[in-house]
């Protein structure tokens, strides 16, 4: 499964604004990313490094030319952290309200509740993708802000949990 997560800055904290999860063909992922970039007024996309380098990079370059679309892809490494470590860091950020969830977003809470760190076959694509937001901001915030244009006209933020 693929998980596509929109992280946005709202009320002095990061928020998971949108979640897409499912079995998508690579070209469908590309089109979802284009739509989200247009909606959220960004050209910054983080993709798990291995998936990008092994399968998506060449295809996305071809599709960008074919559709006259572009976005900046930032490969997100695992930074030698296990999935459990990445999730622990992200959950700590949730606890401190540095990162928040959108009210009513059950996909994330269901995966968090069901996650068993002792099992290797968890259904955890969404929460793993959420945890990658921290790595992306740590590594690429300067580059992201260089390509950012402030415009809130496409935003559809709902109530932030904890406010």
């Amino acid at each position: 499964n693929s998980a596509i997560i929109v992280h946005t800055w709202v009320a002095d904290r990061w928020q998971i604004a949108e979640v897409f999860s499912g079995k998508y063909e690579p070209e469908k992922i590309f089109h979802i990313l284009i739509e989200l970039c247009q909606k959220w007024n960004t050209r910054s996309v983080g993709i798990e490094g291995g998936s990008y380098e092994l399968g998506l990079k060449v295809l996305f370059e071809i599709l960008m030319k074919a559709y006259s679309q572009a976005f900046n892809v930032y490969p997100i490494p695992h930074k030698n952290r296990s999935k459990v470590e990445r999730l622990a860091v992200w959950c700590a950020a949730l606890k401190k309200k540095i990162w928040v969830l959108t009210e009513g977003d059950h996909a994330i809470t269901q995966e968090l509740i069901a996650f068993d760190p002792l099992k290797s076959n968890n259904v955890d694509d969404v929460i793993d993708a959420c945890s990658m937001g921290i790595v992306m901001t740590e590594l690429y915030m300067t580059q992201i802000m260089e390509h950012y244009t402030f415009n809130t006209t496409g935003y559809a933020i709902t109530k932030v949990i904890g406010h």
Side-chain angles (χ1 to χ4, degrees), residues 48-67:
E48 190 272 322
S51 296
Y52 181 65
E53 294 296 331
L54 294 175
L56 297 176
K57 183 177 181 177
V58 173
L59 177 64
F60 279 16
E61 289 170 357
I62 292 168
L63 291 172
M64 284 183 199
K65 288 180 183 174
Y67 290 100

Side-chain angles (χ1 to χ4, degrees), residues 15-68:
Q15 179 176 350
I16 305 298
E18 287 195 60
V19 175
F20 291 82
S21 177
K23 291 190 183 293
Y24 302 116
E25 294 295 323
E27 189 168 348
K28 178 66 175 174
I29 293 171
F30 173 83
H31 289 291
I32 292 170
L33 293 174
I34 290 296
E35 288 176 27
L36 290 172
C37 284
Q38 290 170 349
K39 177 179 179 180
W40 293 96
N41 195 37
T42 186
R43 290 286 171 238
S44 300
V45 173
I47 299 177
E48 190 272 322
S51 296
Y52 181 65
E53 294 296 331
L54 294 175
L56 297 176
K57 183 177 181 177
V58 173
L59 177 64
F60 279 16
E61 289 170 357
I62 292 168
L63 291 172
M64 284 183 199
K65 288 180 183 174
Y67 290 100
S68 300

Side-chain angles (χ1 to χ4, degrees), residues 81-142:
R81 291 182 182 161
S82 71
K83 185 180 293 188
V84 173
E85 290 172 306
R86 289 192 309 273
L87 291 173
V89 169
W90 182 63
C91 286
L94 286 172
K95 185 176 180 184
K96 292 178 183 177
K97 296 188 179 170
I98 297 167
W99 230 274
V100 294
L101 306 177
T102 300
E103 186 173 348
D105 193 332
H106 302 292
I108 296 171
T109 52
Q110 286 173 343
E111 282 191 14
L112 283 170
I113 291 167
F115 185 79
D116 182 348
L118 301 176
K119 289 174 38 181
S120 61
N121 62 343
N122 288 289
V123 175
D124 56 18
D125 297 317
V126 170
I127 58 176
D128 192 30
C130 289
S131 75
M132 295 291 188
I134 290 178
V135 177
M136 186 170 174
T137 57
E138 288 173 349
L139 295 177
Y140 301 117
M141 185 53 75
T142 302

